[in-house]
Every structure is written in C-alpha cells, then in structure tokens.
Amino acid sequence: TVTYPGLVIEAEMEKMFSENVSIPIRLDMGFYNHPRYHTGAFIDLNVGFRQYFKSGFFLEEGIGAGVLTYFLNSDEVYEVDDSGLVSEGSRTNPVDFMPSITLGLGYNLTKDSGKQNLIWLRPKVYWQVPHKTLSTYNFALQVGFTHTIKVKGIK
C-alpha cells in the first residue's frame, strides 16, 4: 500500500497579490490510519505560492512545519531495555517534528465569481524528525475541496 486513509481539515487565508497570484497560508489538522500498525495525528502550518490561470486551473506549492504523533494499534506494547529486561510500554509515541513540501494542481469551479469553490490534488512529502532520519520521508496524497467563507473585516 502506498498511502493509508485519513482525513484533513484545514483553515486557509489567501493573500492576493494580483488577479492571478496569491500566497495561501494553511493550518492543517488531520489523522491517518495504518490498519496493521498505528494511527497518526498531526497539525501543521503551510505557506506557499498559488498561480491561477484563465482556464480555471491553478498550480501551487508550499512548505510546512508541524508536529506528528502516533498511537500503536495494539492492546499491549512491550519494551526491552539495554540489559534485556522486558516491561510494559506506551502505545503513544513521542511527538515528532514534521517539515513538509507540498505541490498542488487544482481547478476553480466558480472561476468567474471570486474563487469560491476549488477542487485540488496535493502530493505531499513529509519527514518525522527525530523518529526517522532525514533521508527517510513519507508520502501523502491529498484530494480535496475548498469553499471560501468571507469573514467581515478580513480582506
């Protein structure tokens, strides 16, 4: 299996610099489930660049930083210390630093009405530091829908 099912909820603020160029800032909160091993939970902040085209398509890229932890899918966990003694361990792993790089391709379903409804595909590469080395990365594929909610006082 290349990727495992999960869910991400995000809040995004998009700063437009021209009719076609923006800097989106996203806060993502989510989880995924590896059925035979663990369930992961994360939160990360992403800043990027988005280019809209007249056709309705857009391209984006972003970098992010966040935290990730996971819970082992087992009723019992055991640890072996340096002297060989076995003891009961924790199902919860320590929090890892999660830097990430995201690319995206999307389409504006309402391109003539101010970017209200977007669909997108975002491949994401992220690391788990210090749990894994920097040469070992994880891959996520996010497919989603964004509906813009106008907030009074925020432009």
Side-chain angles (χ1 to χ4, degrees), residues 7-12 26-31 42-44 142:
L7 178 69
V8 177
I9 296 175
E10 66 180 40
E12 178 179 287
R26 284 192 325 270
L27 179 66
D28 294 350
M29 295 181 356
F31 75 94
F42 60 89
I43 183 168
D44 65 336
Q142 299 176 335

Side-chain angles (χ1 to χ4, degrees), residues 12-25 47-54 56-60 108 110-118 146 148 150 154-155:
E12 178 179 287
M13 185 173 71
E14 184 176 27
K15 174 71 174 159
M16 298 299 295
F17 285 95
S18 72
E19 185 177 315
N20 299 324
V21 176
S22 71
I23 293 184
I25 301 170
V47 178
F49 174 83
R50 188 176 287 153
Q51 172 74 50
Y52 291 96
F53 300 97
K54 292 183 193 275
F57 284 98
F58 64 88
L59 294 173
E60 63 182 15
N108 184 355
T110 52
K111 62 184 175 183
D112 297 326
S113 65
K115 299 171 192 68
Q116 294 294 314
N117 295 306
L118 308 174
T146 299
T148 302
K150 302 264 184 203
I154 297 179
K155 293 185 178 186

Side-chain angles (χ1 to χ4, degrees), residues 69-83:
T69 190
Y70 58 91
F71 311 93
L72 298 175
N73 295 342
S74 174
D75 292 333
E76 298 175 359
V77 175
Y78 296 96
E79 297 175 346
V80 179
D81 66 16
D82 292 337
S83 61

Side-chain angles (χ1 to χ4, degrees), residues 32-39 70-74 93 131:
Y32 66 92
N33 185 49
H34 184 303
R36 295 178 310 275
Y37 183 53
H38 69 273
T39 298
Y70 58 91
F71 311 93
L72 298 175
N73 295 342
S74 174
N93 282 295
H131 180 71

